[in-house]
Amino acid sequence: MTFYGGEPLLRFEEMKYAIEYAKETIRDKVISYGFTTNLTLLNEKIAKYLASVGNMHILCSIDGPEDVHDRCRVFKNGEGTHKQVMKNFDILVNAFKNVKNSTVKVNSVLTPPFTFEKMNYINNYFNKYKNKIKDFSVEITYPVDGSLPEEFYDETLQVSNVIDRWNKDSFYKKYDTCINEEMVWKDLFRIHNRLITQQASNWVPFNACCVPGARRIYVDTKGYIYPCERIGKAPILGHVDYGIKLDELLKNYIIDYSKKSIDSCKNCWAVKMCPICYVNRMTEKEISEKAHLNCELYRQAIKSDLSFYHSMLNNNPERLKKINEISYY
Protein backbone atom coordinates (compact mmCIF):
# COMPACT_ATOMS: atom_id res chain seq x y z
CA MET A 1 0.00 0.00 0.00
CA THR A 2 1.68 3.17 -1.21
CA PHE A 3 0.50 6.75 -0.67
CA TYR A 4 0.94 9.52 -3.24
CA GLY A 5 0.59 13.29 -3.37
CA GLY A 6 1.71 16.03 -3.76
CA GLU A 7 3.01 15.60 -0.26
CA PRO A 8 1.32 12.65 1.52
CA LEU A 9 2.10 14.00 5.00
CA LEU A 10 -0.35 16.85 4.36
CA ARG A 11 -2.95 14.17 5.08
CA PHE A 12 -1.09 12.20 7.74
CA GLU A 13 -4.24 11.43 9.75
CA GLU A 14 -5.91 9.95 6.65
CA MET A 15 -2.77 7.90 5.98
CA LYS A 16 -2.80 6.63 9.54
CA TYR A 17 -6.49 5.73 9.30
CA ALA A 18 -5.92 3.78 6.05
CA ILE A 19 -2.95 1.90 7.53
CA GLU A 20 -4.83 0.93 10.68
CA TYR A 21 -7.88 -0.07 8.62
CA ALA A 22 -5.73 -2.29 6.38
CA LYS A 23 -4.03 -3.93 9.36
CA GLU A 24 -7.40 -4.63 10.96
CA THR A 25 -9.22 -5.96 7.90
CA ILE A 26 -6.45 -7.79 5.97
CA ARG A 27 -5.08 -10.15 8.57
CA ASP A 28 -4.19 -13.09 6.33
CA LYS A 29 -1.51 -11.22 4.35
CA VAL A 30 1.67 -9.30 5.13
CA ILE A 31 1.18 -5.74 3.94
CA SER A 32 4.03 -3.39 3.08
CA TYR A 33 3.52 0.37 3.15
CA GLY A 34 5.36 3.21 1.47
CA PHE A 35 5.37 6.81 0.34
CA THR A 36 7.63 9.56 -0.93
CA THR A 37 8.01 12.73 1.13
CA ASN A 38 9.89 16.02 1.03
CA LEU A 39 10.17 15.75 4.85
CA THR A 40 9.19 19.36 5.56
CA LEU A 41 6.15 18.28 7.65
CA LEU A 42 7.74 15.34 9.43
CA ASN A 43 8.15 15.50 13.23
CA GLU A 44 9.06 13.09 16.04
CA LYS A 45 5.44 12.02 16.60
CA ILE A 46 4.95 11.10 12.95
CA ALA A 47 8.35 9.41 12.73
CA LYS A 48 7.65 7.33 15.83
CA TYR A 49 4.32 6.14 14.42
CA LEU A 50 5.79 5.28 11.01
CA ALA A 51 8.56 3.26 12.65
CA SER A 52 5.97 1.31 14.66
CA VAL A 53 3.95 0.18 11.63
CA GLY A 54 6.34 -2.46 10.25
CA ASN A 55 7.21 -3.09 6.61
CA MET A 56 7.33 0.67 6.07
CA HIS A 57 9.41 1.98 3.16
CA ILE A 58 10.02 5.72 2.92
CA LEU A 59 11.64 7.54 0.02
CA CYS A 60 12.91 11.00 0.94
CA SER A 61 13.32 13.75 -1.67
CA ILE A 62 16.74 15.30 -1.00
CA ASP A 63 18.85 16.62 -3.86
CA GLY A 64 22.18 16.76 -2.00
CA PRO A 65 24.15 19.38 -0.04
CA GLU A 66 22.48 22.65 0.88
CA ASP A 67 23.69 24.64 -2.13
CA VAL A 68 22.41 21.94 -4.49
CA HIS A 69 19.13 21.15 -2.74
CA ASP A 70 18.03 24.75 -2.14
CA ARG A 71 18.30 25.79 -5.77
CA CYS A 72 14.94 24.21 -6.52
CA ARG A 73 13.43 23.00 -3.25
CA VAL A 74 12.22 26.11 -1.45
CA PHE A 75 9.33 27.20 0.75
CA LYS A 76 6.60 29.51 -0.55
CA ASN A 77 8.55 32.54 0.70
CA GLY A 78 11.60 31.51 -1.35
CA GLU A 79 13.70 30.29 1.58
CA GLY A 80 15.58 27.03 1.12
CA THR A 81 14.20 23.90 2.76
CA HIS A 82 17.48 22.03 3.30
CA LYS A 83 18.06 22.84 6.97
CA GLN A 84 14.51 21.81 7.91
CA VAL A 85 14.62 18.74 5.70
CA MET A 86 17.91 17.42 7.10
CA LYS A 87 16.80 18.06 10.68
CA ASN A 88 13.70 15.97 10.01
CA PHE A 89 15.70 13.37 8.08
CA ASP A 90 17.86 12.80 11.15
CA ILE A 91 14.68 12.41 13.25
CA LEU A 92 13.43 9.78 10.79
CA VAL A 93 16.77 7.95 10.67
CA ASN A 94 16.92 7.85 14.46
CA ALA A 95 13.36 6.49 14.70
CA PHE A 96 14.13 3.67 12.24
CA LYS A 97 17.66 2.74 13.37
CA ASN A 98 16.59 -0.48 15.13
CA VAL A 99 13.54 -1.28 12.99
CA LYS A 100 13.64 -4.45 10.89
CA ASN A 101 11.93 -5.02 7.53
CA SER A 102 11.63 -1.28 6.86
CA THR A 103 13.75 1.10 4.80
CA VAL A 104 14.61 4.78 4.57
CA LYS A 105 16.07 5.77 1.21
CA VAL A 106 16.66 8.94 -0.79
CA ASN A 107 15.62 10.11 -4.24
CA SER A 108 17.55 13.00 -5.79
CA VAL A 109 16.87 14.99 -8.92
CA LEU A 110 20.02 16.03 -10.79
CA THR A 111 19.85 19.63 -11.96
CA PRO A 112 22.42 21.44 -14.12
CA PRO A 113 25.34 21.30 -14.37
CA PHE A 114 25.14 17.69 -15.51
CA THR A 115 28.72 16.67 -14.74
CA PHE A 116 30.77 13.90 -13.12
CA GLU A 117 32.00 16.46 -10.61
CA LYS A 118 28.49 17.19 -9.42
CA MET A 119 27.66 13.48 -9.20
CA ASN A 120 30.78 12.98 -7.06
CA TYR A 121 29.85 15.97 -4.89
CA ILE A 122 26.38 14.55 -4.19
CA ASN A 123 27.73 11.05 -3.61
CA ASN A 124 30.28 12.28 -1.07
CA TYR A 125 27.55 14.11 0.80
CA PHE A 126 25.30 11.07 1.16
CA ASN A 127 28.02 8.51 1.87
CA LYS A 128 28.08 9.52 5.54
CA TYR A 129 24.69 7.85 5.96
CA LYS A 130 25.83 4.41 4.75
CA ASN A 131 26.84 3.35 8.24
CA LYS A 132 23.84 4.99 9.91
CA ILE A 133 21.05 3.38 7.88
CA LYS A 134 20.77 -0.30 6.97
CA ASP A 135 20.59 -0.87 3.20
CA PHE A 136 20.76 2.88 2.59
CA SER A 137 20.80 3.97 -1.03
CA VAL A 138 20.23 7.04 -3.18
CA GLU A 139 18.59 7.04 -6.59
CA ILE A 140 19.41 9.99 -8.83
CA THR A 141 17.22 10.81 -11.81
CA TYR A 142 16.84 13.66 -14.29
CA PRO A 143 14.16 16.35 -13.92
CA VAL A 144 10.86 15.71 -15.63
CA ASP A 145 10.67 17.59 -18.93
CA GLY A 146 9.41 21.12 -18.39
CA SER A 147 9.82 21.06 -14.62
CA LEU A 148 12.84 23.39 -14.46
CA PRO A 149 13.13 27.09 -15.34
CA GLU A 150 14.59 27.57 -18.80
CA GLU A 151 17.56 29.55 -17.48
CA PHE A 152 18.91 26.46 -15.72
CA TYR A 153 19.86 24.99 -19.06
CA ASP A 154 21.93 28.02 -20.01
CA GLU A 155 24.58 27.07 -17.44
CA THR A 156 25.91 24.10 -19.34
CA LEU A 157 25.04 21.74 -22.13
CA GLN A 158 23.64 18.47 -20.86
CA VAL A 159 26.37 15.87 -20.97
CA SER A 160 25.06 12.85 -22.83
CA ASN A 161 23.53 10.48 -20.29
CA VAL A 162 25.94 11.48 -17.53
CA ILE A 163 24.04 9.55 -14.85
CA ASP A 164 24.29 6.23 -16.68
CA ARG A 165 27.97 6.79 -17.49
CA TRP A 166 28.78 7.78 -13.91
CA ASN A 167 26.84 4.77 -12.57
CA LYS A 168 28.83 2.34 -14.72
CA ASP A 169 32.15 4.06 -14.12
CA SER A 170 31.76 4.03 -10.33
CA PHE A 171 30.49 0.44 -10.35
CA TYR A 172 33.34 -0.78 -12.57
CA LYS A 173 36.02 0.99 -10.52
CA LYS A 174 34.38 0.05 -7.20
CA TYR A 175 34.06 3.61 -5.97
CA ASP A 176 32.67 4.05 -2.46
CA THR A 177 29.14 4.97 -3.47
CA CYS A 178 25.57 4.71 -2.25
CA ILE A 179 24.13 6.13 -5.48
CA ASN A 180 22.24 4.14 -8.11
CA GLU A 181 24.06 0.83 -7.51
CA GLU A 182 20.76 -1.02 -7.54
CA MET A 183 19.97 0.52 -10.92
CA VAL A 184 23.24 -0.87 -12.32
CA TRP A 185 22.46 -4.33 -10.95
CA LYS A 186 19.02 -4.19 -12.57
CA ASP A 187 20.58 -3.37 -15.96
CA LEU A 188 23.07 -6.22 -15.56
CA PHE A 189 20.30 -8.54 -14.39
CA ARG A 190 18.27 -7.86 -17.52
CA ILE A 191 21.23 -8.64 -19.78
CA HIS A 192 22.33 -11.67 -17.77
CA ASN A 193 18.85 -13.20 -17.93
CA ARG A 194 18.07 -12.35 -21.55
CA LEU A 195 16.56 -15.11 -23.65
CA ILE A 196 19.21 -16.93 -25.70
CA THR A 197 18.14 -19.67 -28.13
CA GLN A 198 19.98 -21.95 -30.56
CA GLN A 199 17.81 -20.73 -33.40
CA ALA A 200 16.13 -17.44 -34.14
CA SER A 201 12.55 -17.20 -32.92
CA ASN A 202 9.67 -15.20 -34.34
CA TRP A 203 8.22 -14.82 -30.85
CA VAL A 204 8.08 -11.14 -29.82
CA PRO A 205 7.52 -10.36 -26.12
CA PHE A 206 5.19 -7.66 -24.87
CA ASN A 207 8.17 -5.40 -24.17
CA ALA A 208 8.47 -5.05 -20.37
CA CYS A 209 4.74 -4.64 -19.86
CA CYS A 210 3.18 -6.31 -16.85
CA VAL A 211 -0.31 -7.77 -16.86
CA PRO A 212 -2.46 -4.76 -15.92
CA GLY A 213 -3.98 -5.19 -12.49
CA ALA A 214 -2.04 -8.38 -11.67
CA ARG A 215 1.03 -7.04 -9.83
CA ARG A 216 -0.40 -3.79 -8.55
CA ILE A 217 -3.16 -1.26 -9.05
CA TYR A 218 -3.33 2.48 -8.56
CA VAL A 219 -6.52 4.06 -7.24
CA ASP A 220 -6.94 7.83 -7.58
CA THR A 221 -8.89 10.06 -5.19
CA LYS A 222 -12.08 9.58 -7.23
CA GLY A 223 -11.89 5.80 -6.99
CA TYR A 224 -10.78 5.09 -10.58
CA ILE A 225 -8.38 2.17 -11.01
CA TYR A 226 -5.23 2.30 -13.18
CA PRO A 227 -2.48 -0.28 -13.81
CA CYS A 228 0.12 1.52 -11.66
CA GLU A 229 1.13 4.89 -10.23
CA ARG A 230 3.81 5.56 -12.86
CA ILE A 231 1.69 5.27 -15.95
CA GLY A 232 0.25 8.81 -15.98
CA LYS A 233 -2.66 9.39 -18.33
CA ALA A 234 -4.05 6.05 -19.46
CA PRO A 235 -7.32 4.19 -20.00
CA ILE A 236 -8.92 3.31 -16.68
CA LEU A 237 -9.24 -0.34 -15.66
CA GLY A 238 -12.36 0.22 -13.61
CA HIS A 239 -13.61 1.74 -10.38
CA VAL A 240 -13.71 0.68 -6.73
CA ASP A 241 -17.52 0.62 -6.90
CA TYR A 242 -17.75 -1.88 -9.75
CA GLY A 243 -14.31 -3.47 -10.07
CA ILE A 244 -12.12 -4.03 -13.12
CA LYS A 245 -13.72 -4.18 -16.57
CA LEU A 246 -11.87 -7.08 -18.17
CA ASP A 247 -13.21 -6.44 -21.69
CA GLU A 248 -11.84 -2.89 -21.73
CA LEU A 249 -8.54 -4.02 -20.20
CA LEU A 250 -8.18 -6.64 -22.94
CA LYS A 251 -9.01 -4.16 -25.70
CA ASN A 252 -6.88 -1.20 -24.56
CA TYR A 253 -3.86 -2.89 -23.01
CA ILE A 254 -3.52 -6.11 -24.97
CA ILE A 255 -5.19 -6.12 -28.38
CA ASP A 256 -4.85 -2.44 -29.41
CA TYR A 257 -1.41 -2.08 -27.80
CA SER A 258 -0.17 -5.13 -29.69
CA LYS A 259 -1.62 -4.04 -33.04
CA LYS A 260 -0.07 -0.57 -32.80
CA SER A 261 3.32 -1.84 -31.61
CA ILE A 262 4.06 -4.86 -33.77
CA ASP A 263 5.33 -2.94 -36.80
CA SER A 264 7.89 -1.12 -34.66
CA CYS A 265 8.86 -4.14 -32.57
CA LYS A 266 9.00 -7.04 -35.04
CA ASN A 267 12.24 -5.92 -36.72
CA CYS A 268 13.96 -4.54 -33.63
CA TRP A 269 17.11 -6.44 -32.64
CA ALA A 270 16.64 -5.40 -28.98
CA VAL A 271 12.98 -6.31 -28.61
CA LYS A 272 13.63 -9.24 -26.25
CA MET A 273 15.57 -6.99 -23.89
CA CYS A 274 13.27 -3.97 -24.14
CA PRO A 275 12.79 -2.30 -20.73
CA ILE A 276 9.78 -0.23 -21.79
CA CYS A 277 6.26 -0.76 -20.52
CA TYR A 278 3.03 1.23 -20.65
CA VAL A 279 4.56 4.19 -18.79
CA ASN A 280 4.52 7.37 -20.92
CA ARG A 281 3.15 5.39 -23.87
CA MET A 282 -0.57 5.79 -23.32
CA THR A 283 -3.18 8.53 -23.62
CA GLU A 284 -6.46 8.60 -21.71
CA LYS A 285 -8.05 6.51 -24.47
CA GLU A 286 -5.38 4.35 -26.12
CA ILE A 287 -1.71 3.80 -26.91
CA SER A 288 -0.11 7.07 -27.99
CA GLU A 289 0.84 7.72 -31.60
CA LYS A 290 4.22 8.82 -30.23
CA ALA A 291 4.77 5.63 -28.23
CA HIS A 292 7.76 4.47 -30.28
CA LEU A 293 9.48 7.78 -31.04
CA ASN A 294 12.30 7.15 -28.54
CA CYS A 295 13.02 3.53 -29.40
CA GLU A 296 16.46 4.32 -30.84
CA LEU A 297 17.51 5.87 -27.53
CA TYR A 298 16.55 2.66 -25.73
CA ARG A 299 18.40 0.54 -28.29
CA GLN A 300 21.53 2.58 -27.65
CA ALA A 301 21.05 2.14 -23.88
CA ILE A 302 20.71 -1.65 -24.30
CA LYS A 303 23.80 -1.69 -26.51
CA SER A 304 25.68 0.15 -23.75
CA ASP A 305 24.41 -2.33 -21.14
CA LEU A 306 25.51 -5.29 -23.28
CA SER A 307 28.96 -3.79 -23.65
CA PHE A 308 29.22 -3.08 -19.94
CA TYR A 309 28.03 -6.56 -18.97
CA HIS A 310 30.65 -8.29 -21.14
CA SER A 311 33.34 -5.91 -19.97
CA MET A 312 32.54 -6.91 -16.38
CA LEU A 313 32.38 -10.57 -17.40
CA ASN A 314 35.86 -10.41 -18.89
CA ASN A 315 37.56 -8.21 -16.31
CA ASN A 316 35.74 -8.81 -13.05
CA PRO A 317 33.75 -12.07 -13.23
CA GLU A 318 33.88 -12.55 -9.45
CA ARG A 319 31.79 -9.45 -8.85
CA LEU A 320 29.15 -10.63 -11.29
CA LYS A 321 28.56 -13.82 -9.29
CA LYS A 322 26.22 -11.81 -7.05
CA ILE A 323 23.81 -11.50 -9.96
CA ASN A 324 22.71 -15.11 -9.48
CA GLU A 325 21.44 -14.16 -6.01
CA ILE A 326 19.31 -11.27 -7.28
CA SER A 327 15.61 -11.43 -8.01
CA TYR A 328 13.63 -8.39 -9.18
CA TYR A 329 10.53 -10.02 -10.60
Side-chain angles (χ1 to χ4, degrees), residues 145-159:
D145 288 345
S147 64
L148 288 178
E150 203 170 298
E151 57 266 24
F152 273 58
Y153 292 93
D154 294 336
E155 300 175 16
T156 179
L157 293 175
Q158 180 169 346
V159 179

Side-chain angles (χ1 to χ4, degrees), residues 243-261:
I244 292 176
K245 291 187 174 181
L246 293 178
D247 54 340
E248 293 186 15
L249 184 158
L250 181 64
K251 176 184 180 298
N252 293 321
Y253 287 96
I254 307 298
I255 297 173
D256 289 353
Y257 186 91
S258 180
K259 285 180 178 178
K260 294 184 178 181
S261 298

Side-chain angles (χ1 to χ4, degrees), residues 1 20-31 33:
M1 178 184 291
E20 295 303 317
Y21 180 82
K23 290 167 68 175
E24 180 66 26
T25 57
I26 310 174
R27 297 189 176 188
D28 59 336
K29 291 181 172 62
V30 176
I31 307 173
Y33 307 89

Side-chain angles (χ1 to χ4, degrees), residues 66-182:
E66 185 172 3
D67 57 321
V68 174
H69 180 93
D70 283 351
R71 291 198 68 200
C72 294
R73 299 189 184 272
V74 297
F75 289 113
K76 187 177 180 180
N77 62 7
E79 292 182 4
T81 62
H82 188 268
K83 285 185 172 63
Q84 182 68 39
V85 165
M86 296 315 297
K87 174 187 173 185
N88 293 344
F89 184 64
D90 287 338
I91 290 173
L92 189 66
V93 169
N94 186 61
F96 276 78
K97 64 182 179 182
N98 296 317
V99 177
K100 298 180 180 179
N101 301 320
S102 294
T103 57
V104 175
K105 298 186 178 183
V106 168
N107 178 75
S108 298
V109 177
L110 183 68
T111 55
F114 301 112
T115 63
F116 265 47
E117 290 76 15
K118 188 167 186 180
M119 290 290 292
N120 288 331
Y121 182 46
I122 295 170
N123 178 65
N124 291 338
Y125 177 76
F126 284 120
N127 263 348
K128 61 188 177 185
Y129 287 100
K130 289 181 68 175
N131 296 325
K132 295 182 179 181
I133 308 173
K134 187 177 183 296
D135 298 326
F136 178 68
S137 66
V138 179
E139 182 174 314
I140 293 188
T141 59
Y142 291 109
V144 175
D145 288 345
S147 64
L148 288 178
E150 203 170 298
E151 57 266 24
F152 273 58
Y153 292 93
D154 294 336
E155 300 175 16
T156 179
L157 293 175
Q158 180 169 346
V159 179
S160 178
N161 211 4
V162 65
I163 294 178
D164 182 65
R165 293 191 300 110
W166 186 92
N167 291 345
K168 290 183 170 66
D169 187 64
S170 61
F171 187 92
Y172 185 82
K173 295 177 180 178
K174 292 187 177 181
Y175 291 156
D176 185 20
T177 176
C178 58
I179 291 178
N180 287 355
E181 186 167 320
E182 185 176 348

Side-chain angles (χ1 to χ4, degrees), residues 203-268:
W203 171 74
V204 177
F206 227 64
N207 305 136
C209 297
C210 65
V211 178
R215 290 176 58 193
R216 66 175 69 184
I217 59 172
Y218 173 68
V219 182
D220 70 11
T221 55
K222 296 180 180 179
Y224 289 106
I225 302 171
Y226 296 87
C228 81
E229 76 285 354
R230 297 175 58 237
I231 200 168
K233 292 182 178 180
I236 63 171
L237 298 183
H239 192 275
V240 293
D241 288 339
Y242 54 75
I244 292 176
K245 291 187 174 181
L246 293 178
D247 54 340
E248 293 186 15
L249 184 158
L250 181 64
K251 176 184 180 298
N252 293 321
Y253 287 96
I254 307 298
I255 297 173
D256 289 353
Y257 186 91
S258 180
K259 285 180 178 178
K260 294 184 178 181
S261 298
I262 190 63
D263 286 341
S264 296
C265 296
K266 66 182 179 181
N267 295 316
C268 176

